[in-house]
Amino acid sequence: MEYRDKLVLAPMVRVGTLPFRLLAAEYGADITYGEEIIDHKFLKCERVTNESLGTTDFVEKGTDSVVFRTCPQERGRVVFQMGTSNAVRALKAAQIVCRDVSAIDINMGCPKSFSLSGGMGAALLSKPELIHDILTTLRRNLDTTVTCKIRLLNTPKDTVELARRIEKTGVPALAVHGRKIKDRPRDLAKWDEIADVVSALSIPVIANGDVFEYEDFKRIKDATGAASVMVARGAMWNASIFCAKGKTPWEDVKREYVRKSILWDNDVKSTKHTLKEMIMHYSCLELPEGKGVIKCDTSEDLARLYGEEDYYNFVVANRK
Protein backbone atom coordinates (compact mmCIF):
# COMPACT_ATOMS: atom_id res chain seq x y z
CA MET A 1 0.00 0.00 0.00
CA GLU A 2 1.40 3.36 -1.06
CA TYR A 3 0.45 6.31 1.14
CA ARG A 4 1.73 9.35 -0.74
CA ASP A 5 -0.49 11.60 -2.84
CA LYS A 6 -3.63 9.60 -2.11
CA LEU A 7 -7.26 10.61 -1.66
CA VAL A 8 -8.66 8.54 1.17
CA LEU A 9 -12.18 7.64 2.27
CA ALA A 10 -12.31 7.79 6.07
CA PRO A 11 -13.78 5.04 8.24
CA MET A 12 -17.42 5.83 9.04
CA VAL A 13 -19.70 3.63 11.11
CA ARG A 14 -22.75 2.34 9.18
CA VAL A 15 -21.57 4.23 6.08
CA GLY A 16 -18.32 2.60 4.96
CA THR A 17 -19.76 -0.70 3.79
CA LEU A 18 -18.89 -2.28 0.43
CA PRO A 19 -21.29 -0.33 -1.84
CA PHE A 20 -20.20 3.04 -0.49
CA ARG A 21 -16.51 2.12 -0.69
CA LEU A 22 -16.93 1.09 -4.33
CA LEU A 23 -18.90 4.26 -5.07
CA ALA A 24 -16.14 6.43 -3.58
CA ALA A 25 -13.52 4.53 -5.56
CA GLU A 26 -15.43 5.07 -8.81
CA TYR A 27 -15.33 8.80 -8.16
CA GLY A 28 -11.59 8.78 -7.46
CA ALA A 29 -10.83 7.58 -3.92
CA ASP A 30 -7.46 5.78 -3.92
CA ILE A 31 -7.81 4.14 -0.51
CA THR A 32 -11.12 3.22 1.12
CA TYR A 33 -11.47 2.43 4.82
CA GLY A 34 -14.29 0.23 6.03
CA GLU A 35 -16.32 1.13 9.07
CA GLU A 36 -14.70 0.40 12.44
CA ILE A 37 -15.37 -3.16 13.59
CA ILE A 38 -14.76 -4.19 17.19
CA ASP A 39 -12.39 -7.13 17.71
CA HIS A 40 -14.77 -8.87 20.15
CA LYS A 41 -17.47 -8.93 17.49
CA PHE A 42 -15.16 -10.00 14.70
CA LEU A 43 -13.84 -12.95 16.67
CA LYS A 44 -17.36 -14.36 16.50
CA CYS A 45 -17.24 -14.34 12.70
CA GLU A 46 -16.35 -16.93 10.11
CA ARG A 47 -15.11 -16.34 6.58
CA VAL A 48 -17.65 -17.32 3.93
CA THR A 49 -17.31 -17.25 0.15
CA ASN A 50 -20.53 -15.78 -1.22
CA GLU A 51 -20.87 -17.36 -4.65
CA SER A 52 -24.10 -15.48 -5.35
CA LEU A 53 -22.52 -12.05 -5.00
CA GLY A 54 -18.91 -12.89 -5.79
CA THR A 55 -17.86 -11.54 -2.40
CA THR A 56 -16.01 -12.68 0.67
CA ASP A 57 -18.23 -12.29 3.71
CA PHE A 58 -17.38 -12.40 7.38
CA VAL A 59 -20.54 -13.63 9.02
CA GLU A 60 -21.36 -13.84 12.71
CA LYS A 61 -21.50 -17.53 13.55
CA GLY A 62 -24.99 -18.92 13.98
CA THR A 63 -26.60 -15.96 12.22
CA ASP A 64 -27.01 -14.42 8.78
CA SER A 65 -25.44 -11.17 9.97
CA VAL A 66 -22.66 -9.98 7.65
CA VAL A 67 -20.19 -8.02 9.74
CA PHE A 68 -17.77 -7.24 6.89
CA ARG A 69 -18.05 -7.82 3.15
CA THR A 70 -15.41 -7.29 0.48
CA CYS A 71 -14.84 -8.22 -3.15
CA PRO A 72 -11.97 -8.56 -5.63
CA GLN A 73 -12.73 -5.15 -7.18
CA GLU A 74 -11.45 -3.37 -4.07
CA ARG A 75 -8.63 -5.73 -3.12
CA GLY A 76 -5.84 -3.21 -3.75
CA ARG A 77 -7.28 -0.33 -1.74
CA VAL A 78 -9.57 -1.54 1.07
CA VAL A 79 -8.49 -1.01 4.67
CA PHE A 80 -10.06 -2.96 7.52
CA GLN A 81 -10.35 -0.73 10.58
CA MET A 82 -10.51 -2.37 13.96
CA GLY A 83 -11.47 -1.18 17.42
CA THR A 84 -9.42 -2.90 20.09
CA SER A 85 -7.82 -2.50 23.50
CA ASN A 86 -5.80 -5.71 23.56
CA ALA A 87 -2.87 -6.80 21.39
CA VAL A 88 -3.52 -10.54 21.47
CA ARG A 89 -7.22 -10.13 20.73
CA ALA A 90 -6.43 -7.67 17.93
CA LEU A 91 -4.04 -10.16 16.36
CA LYS A 92 -6.56 -12.99 16.46
CA ALA A 93 -9.18 -10.78 14.82
CA ALA A 94 -6.74 -9.47 12.21
CA GLN A 95 -5.68 -12.98 11.26
CA ILE A 96 -9.25 -13.74 10.19
CA VAL A 97 -9.34 -10.99 7.57
CA CYS A 98 -5.75 -10.02 6.76
CA ARG A 99 -5.51 -11.99 3.50
CA ASP A 100 -8.61 -10.29 2.09
CA VAL A 101 -7.67 -6.64 2.63
CA SER A 102 -4.78 -4.35 1.79
CA ALA A 103 -4.18 -3.06 5.31
CA ILE A 104 -5.29 -3.32 8.92
CA ASP A 105 -5.82 -0.01 10.71
CA ILE A 106 -6.28 0.44 14.45
CA ASN A 107 -8.79 3.07 15.52
CA MET A 108 -7.17 5.36 18.08
CA GLY A 109 -9.34 8.39 17.47
CA CYS A 110 -13.00 7.57 18.13
CA PRO A 111 -14.27 9.82 20.97
CA LYS A 112 -17.64 8.08 21.36
CA SER A 113 -18.52 6.79 24.82
CA PHE A 114 -18.82 3.16 23.75
CA SER A 115 -15.21 3.23 22.53
CA LEU A 116 -13.84 5.12 25.50
CA SER A 117 -15.62 2.91 28.03
CA GLY A 118 -14.11 -0.16 26.38
CA GLY A 119 -10.61 1.29 26.43
CA MET A 120 -10.68 1.58 22.63
CA GLY A 121 -10.51 4.44 20.15
CA ALA A 122 -9.32 7.71 21.67
CA ALA A 123 -8.89 6.00 25.06
CA LEU A 124 -5.67 4.54 23.63
CA LEU A 125 -4.17 8.00 23.18
CA SER A 126 -3.28 8.10 26.88
CA LYS A 127 -1.77 4.60 26.80
CA PRO A 128 1.36 4.75 24.63
CA GLU A 129 2.69 1.45 25.96
CA LEU A 130 -0.50 -0.33 24.92
CA ILE A 131 -0.38 1.36 21.52
CA HIS A 132 3.17 0.08 21.09
CA ASP A 133 2.14 -3.41 22.15
CA ILE A 134 -0.80 -3.57 19.73
CA LEU A 135 1.06 -2.21 16.71
CA THR A 136 4.26 -4.21 17.21
CA THR A 137 2.32 -7.42 17.86
CA LEU A 138 0.40 -7.00 14.61
CA ARG A 139 3.44 -6.01 12.60
CA ARG A 140 5.52 -8.95 13.85
CA ASN A 141 2.85 -11.51 13.07
CA LEU A 142 1.16 -10.27 9.91
CA ASP A 143 2.36 -9.83 6.34
CA THR A 144 -0.39 -7.26 5.83
CA THR A 145 0.28 -3.53 6.20
CA VAL A 146 -0.58 -2.18 9.67
CA THR A 147 -1.38 1.47 10.42
CA CYS A 148 -3.40 3.53 12.88
CA LYS A 149 -5.52 6.67 13.01
CA ILE A 150 -5.28 9.12 15.91
CA ARG A 151 -6.69 12.49 16.83
CA LEU A 152 -4.99 15.46 18.49
CA LEU A 153 -4.00 15.36 22.15
CA ASN A 154 -4.35 18.26 24.58
CA THR A 155 -1.17 20.00 23.42
CA PRO A 156 0.75 19.93 20.13
CA LYS A 157 3.80 18.68 22.04
CA ASP A 158 1.87 15.70 23.38
CA THR A 159 0.55 14.86 19.91
CA VAL A 160 4.00 15.02 18.35
CA GLU A 161 5.51 12.91 21.12
CA LEU A 162 2.88 10.20 20.64
CA ALA A 163 3.22 10.34 16.85
CA ARG A 164 6.97 9.80 17.16
CA ARG A 165 6.41 6.80 19.40
CA ILE A 166 3.97 5.37 16.86
CA GLU A 167 6.46 5.92 14.05
CA LYS A 168 9.05 3.90 15.97
CA THR A 169 6.77 0.84 15.84
CA GLY A 170 7.48 0.67 12.12
CA VAL A 171 4.06 1.59 10.72
CA PRO A 172 4.34 2.96 7.17
CA ALA A 173 1.85 5.81 7.65
CA LEU A 174 -0.20 7.65 10.27
CA ALA A 175 -3.62 9.25 9.86
CA VAL A 176 -4.30 12.30 12.04
CA HIS A 177 -7.73 13.83 12.65
CA GLY A 178 -7.28 17.52 13.42
CA ARG A 179 -9.61 17.60 16.40
CA LYS A 180 -9.28 16.73 20.09
CA ILE A 181 -11.46 14.36 22.07
CA LYS A 182 -13.61 17.17 23.45
CA ASP A 183 -14.06 18.83 20.05
CA ARG A 184 -17.28 18.44 18.11
CA PRO A 185 -17.65 18.29 14.32
CA ARG A 186 -18.72 21.95 14.28
CA ASP A 187 -15.34 22.96 15.77
CA LEU A 188 -12.77 23.84 13.13
CA ALA A 189 -10.10 21.23 12.50
CA LYS A 190 -6.67 22.38 13.65
CA TRP A 191 -4.63 22.02 10.49
CA ASP A 192 -1.67 23.78 12.11
CA GLU A 193 -1.38 21.00 14.70
CA ILE A 194 -1.45 18.36 11.98
CA ALA A 195 1.41 20.30 10.37
CA ASP A 196 3.40 19.91 13.60
CA VAL A 197 3.08 16.14 13.31
CA VAL A 198 4.06 16.18 9.64
CA SER A 199 7.20 18.17 10.45
CA ALA A 200 8.20 15.73 13.18
CA LEU A 201 7.82 12.49 11.21
CA SER A 202 9.50 10.90 8.22
CA ILE A 203 6.61 8.55 7.36
CA PRO A 204 3.59 9.79 5.36
CA VAL A 205 0.91 11.55 7.39
CA ILE A 206 -2.70 11.40 6.21
CA ALA A 207 -4.50 14.63 7.18
CA ASN A 208 -8.17 14.46 8.14
CA GLY A 209 -10.62 17.24 9.01
CA ASP A 210 -12.81 19.84 7.27
CA VAL A 211 -12.52 18.61 3.69
CA PHE A 212 -15.81 19.40 1.99
CA GLU A 213 -14.87 20.29 -1.60
CA TYR A 214 -12.32 18.86 -4.03
CA GLU A 215 -10.29 22.07 -3.68
CA ASP A 216 -9.92 21.36 0.04
CA PHE A 217 -7.65 18.40 -0.74
CA LYS A 218 -4.99 20.82 -1.99
CA ARG A 219 -5.72 23.39 0.71
CA ILE A 220 -5.13 20.98 3.59
CA LYS A 221 -2.06 19.47 1.90
CA ASP A 222 -0.58 22.94 1.40
CA ALA A 223 -1.41 23.97 4.96
CA THR A 224 -0.09 20.84 6.66
CA GLY A 225 2.47 19.34 4.30
CA ALA A 226 0.65 16.02 4.66
CA ALA A 227 1.39 13.27 2.16
CA SER A 228 -2.28 12.36 1.66
CA VAL A 229 -5.74 13.54 2.65
CA MET A 230 -8.67 11.70 4.24
CA VAL A 231 -12.31 12.82 4.07
CA ALA A 232 -15.33 11.68 6.07
CA ARG A 233 -18.47 13.84 6.13
CA GLY A 234 -17.65 15.53 2.83
CA ALA A 235 -17.67 12.12 1.16
CA MET A 236 -20.68 10.84 3.09
CA TRP A 237 -22.78 13.74 1.83
CA ASN A 238 -21.51 13.43 -1.75
CA ALA A 239 -19.04 10.70 -2.72
CA SER A 240 -18.15 12.55 -5.92
CA ILE A 241 -16.01 14.91 -3.81
CA PHE A 242 -13.09 12.75 -5.00
CA CYS A 243 -13.67 13.71 -8.64
CA ALA A 244 -11.29 16.35 -10.02
CA LYS A 245 -13.86 17.38 -12.63
CA GLY A 246 -16.26 18.55 -9.94
CA LYS A 247 -19.13 17.13 -7.94
CA THR A 248 -21.98 15.19 -9.47
CA PRO A 249 -25.44 16.38 -8.29
CA TRP A 250 -26.20 14.67 -5.01
CA GLU A 251 -29.48 13.25 -6.33
CA ASP A 252 -27.51 11.29 -8.96
CA VAL A 253 -24.91 10.12 -6.43
CA LYS A 254 -27.69 9.05 -4.09
CA ARG A 255 -29.41 7.01 -6.80
CA GLU A 256 -26.15 5.30 -7.76
CA TYR A 257 -25.59 4.46 -4.09
CA VAL A 258 -29.05 2.87 -3.93
CA ARG A 259 -28.26 0.79 -7.01
CA LYS A 260 -24.94 -0.35 -5.59
CA SER A 261 -26.61 -1.22 -2.29
CA ILE A 262 -29.07 -3.39 -4.19
CA LEU A 263 -26.34 -4.98 -6.30
CA TRP A 264 -24.18 -5.90 -3.30
CA ASP A 265 -27.11 -6.81 -1.03
CA ASN A 266 -26.17 -4.21 1.55
CA ASP A 267 -27.79 -4.33 4.98
CA VAL A 268 -30.88 -2.14 4.68
CA LYS A 269 -30.20 -0.42 8.02
CA SER A 270 -26.80 0.69 6.75
CA THR A 271 -28.26 1.90 3.45
CA LYS A 272 -31.02 3.83 5.21
CA HIS A 273 -28.55 5.44 7.62
CA THR A 274 -26.36 6.68 4.77
CA LEU A 275 -29.32 7.95 2.76
CA LYS A 276 -30.68 9.80 5.79
CA GLU A 277 -27.30 11.49 6.32
CA MET A 278 -27.34 12.68 2.69
CA ILE A 279 -30.93 13.87 2.93
CA MET A 280 -30.37 15.71 6.23
CA HIS A 281 -27.45 17.60 4.68
CA TYR A 282 -29.13 18.62 1.44
CA SER A 283 -32.82 18.53 2.30
CA CYS A 284 -34.95 17.47 5.28
CA LEU A 285 -36.13 14.17 6.70
CA GLU A 286 -39.59 15.67 7.25
CA LEU A 287 -40.19 15.96 3.53
CA PRO A 288 -41.76 13.04 1.61
CA GLU A 289 -38.45 11.48 0.57
CA GLY A 290 -37.08 11.45 4.09
CA LYS A 291 -40.27 10.01 5.52
CA GLY A 292 -40.26 7.42 2.77
CA VAL A 293 -36.74 6.26 3.60
CA ILE A 294 -37.60 5.98 7.28
CA LYS A 295 -40.60 3.76 6.48
CA CYS A 296 -38.61 1.35 4.27
CA ASP A 297 -37.97 -2.07 5.80
CA THR A 298 -36.22 -3.82 2.92
CA SER A 299 -33.98 -3.10 -0.06
CA GLU A 300 -37.00 -3.80 -2.24
CA ASP A 301 -38.85 -1.00 -0.44
CA LEU A 302 -35.95 1.38 -1.14
CA ALA A 303 -35.87 0.28 -4.78
CA ARG A 304 -39.57 1.07 -5.06
CA LEU A 305 -39.13 4.46 -3.37
CA TYR A 306 -36.41 5.48 -5.81
CA GLY A 307 -38.01 3.99 -8.91
CA GLU A 308 -35.50 1.18 -9.20
CA GLU A 309 -37.94 -1.76 -9.11
CA ASP A 310 -36.85 -3.04 -12.53
CA TYR A 311 -33.19 -2.89 -11.55
CA TYR A 312 -33.90 -4.65 -8.25
CA ASN A 313 -35.85 -7.43 -9.99
CA PHE A 314 -33.11 -7.83 -12.61
CA VAL A 315 -30.36 -8.07 -9.99
CA VAL A 316 -32.23 -10.56 -7.81
CA ALA A 317 -33.22 -12.70 -10.79
CA ASN A 318 -29.62 -12.90 -12.01
CA ARG A 319 -27.95 -13.83 -8.75
CA LYS A 320 -26.37 -17.26 -8.93
Side-chain angles (χ1 to χ4, degrees):
M1 181 78 84
E2 172 57 46
Y3 287 98
R4 295 191 183 276
D5 297 317
K6 302 299 181 184
L7 306 183
V8 185
L9 176 68
M12 290 181 280
V13 174
R14 295 189 299 279
V15 175
T17 54
L18 178 60
F20 196 86
R21 298 195 303 268
L22 292 176
L23 182 66
E26 282 189 8
Y27 282 117
D30 301 301
I31 300 173
T32 53
Y33 281 58
E35 61 177 334
E36 177 197 21
I37 295 174
I38 307 303
D39 55 4
H40 285 289
K41 186 177 185 67
F42 206 64
L43 286 172
K44 299 175 183 177
C45 294
E46 58 184 345
R47 184 182 185 276
V48 177
T49 299
N50 188 325
E51 300 287 355
S52 175
L53 296 176
T55 60
T56 300
D57 297 348
F58 295 85
V59 182
E60 190 170 353
K61 296 174 184 176
T63 75
D64 294 325
S65 175
V66 177
V67 175
F68 181 72
R69 170 172 286 160
T70 185
C71 67
Q73 292 93 315
E74 65 169 2
R75 180 66 181 85
R77 61 176 172 268
V78 63
V79 177
F80 180 86
Q81 197 192 53
M82 184 191 310
T84 187
S85 61
N86 180 276
V88 174
R89 195 167 59 239
L91 177 60
K92 289 179 179 177
Q95 287 172 329
I96 298 172
V97 72
C98 63
R99 292 178 181 82
D100 296 292
V101 297
S102 293
I104 303 287
D105 185 83
I106 303 302
N107 184 338
M108 301 183 183
C110 181
K112 300 292 179 62
S113 58
F114 80 91
S115 283
L116 297 178
S117 62
M120 302 176 293
L124 292 171
L125 297 176
S126 60
K127 302 174 181 177
E129 294 82 7
L130 179 54
I131 288 176
H132 181 273
D133 189 24
I134 292 171
L135 294 177
T136 55
T137 296
L138 293 180
R139 290 199 69 255
R140 278 197 305 263
N141 293 281
L142 299 175
D143 291 330
T144 310
T145 299
V146 175
T147 59
C148 65
K149 181 175 185 281
I150 67 170
R151 64 173 51 220
L152 302 175
L153 278 71
N154 289 330
T155 69
K157 179 181 177 182
D158 290 341
T159 306
V160 167
E161 182 178 332
L162 177 64
R164 284 175 170 158
R165 295 185 71 161
I166 290 172
E167 182 178 39
K168 288 178 181 178
T169 67
V171 297
L174 173 66
V176 181
H177 183 177
R179 291 183 175 85
K180 302 176 183 180
I181 293 177
K182 62 180 177 59
D183 291 337
R184 300 278 67 85
R186 64 178 177 273
D187 297 317
L188 289 177
K190 300 169 180 63
W191 290 1
D192 57 328
E193 295 192 28
I194 298 177
D196 293 335
V197 176
V198 174
S199 298
L201 303 188
S202 58
I203 60 173
V205 171
I206 305 168
N208 175 217
D210 288 351
V211 175
F212 302 113
E213 303 293 339
Y214 185 82
E215 293 73 23
D216 292 336
F217 286 116
K218 184 177 187 302
R219 286 181 58 239
I220 191 171
K221 282 191 76 174
D222 290 345
T224 64
S228 293
V229 179
M230 175 181 282
V231 55
R233 288 177 296 158
M236 176 177 67
W237 295 330
N238 190 326
S240 67
I241 188 175
F242 295 104
C243 183
K245 295 179 181 179
K247 283 183 182 177
T248 299
W250 79 280
E251 292 91 347
D252 297 335
V253 175
K254 175 181 60 183
R255 184 172 296 275
E256 182 56 31
Y257 171 67
V258 170
R259 289 169 69 91
K260 276 185 166 45
S261 294
I262 293 169
L263 180 63
W264 297 102
D265 195 22
N266 197 45
D267 177 71
V268 68
K269 292 180 181 178
S270 167
T271 304
K272 286 177 59 175
H273 173 81
T274 305
L275 288 171
K276 286 191 290 184
E277 290 290 345
M278 293 179 187
I279 293 167
M280 283 190 290
H281 180 69
Y282 287 103
S283 180
C284 175
L285 285 177
E286 294 304 312
L287 294 176
E289 180 189 7
K291 290 181 177 180
V293 169
I294 291 170
K295 290 179 180 178
C296 288
D297 293 320
T298 66
S299 293
E300 187 174 8
D301 292 339
L302 286 171
R304 190 175 300 111
L305 177 67
Y306 285 101
E308 296 289 350
E309 301 102 315
D310 290 345
Y311 181 73
Y312 176 86
N313 292 332
F314 174 81
V315 167
V316 172
N318 284 275
R319 283 183 181 148
K320 297 177 184 177

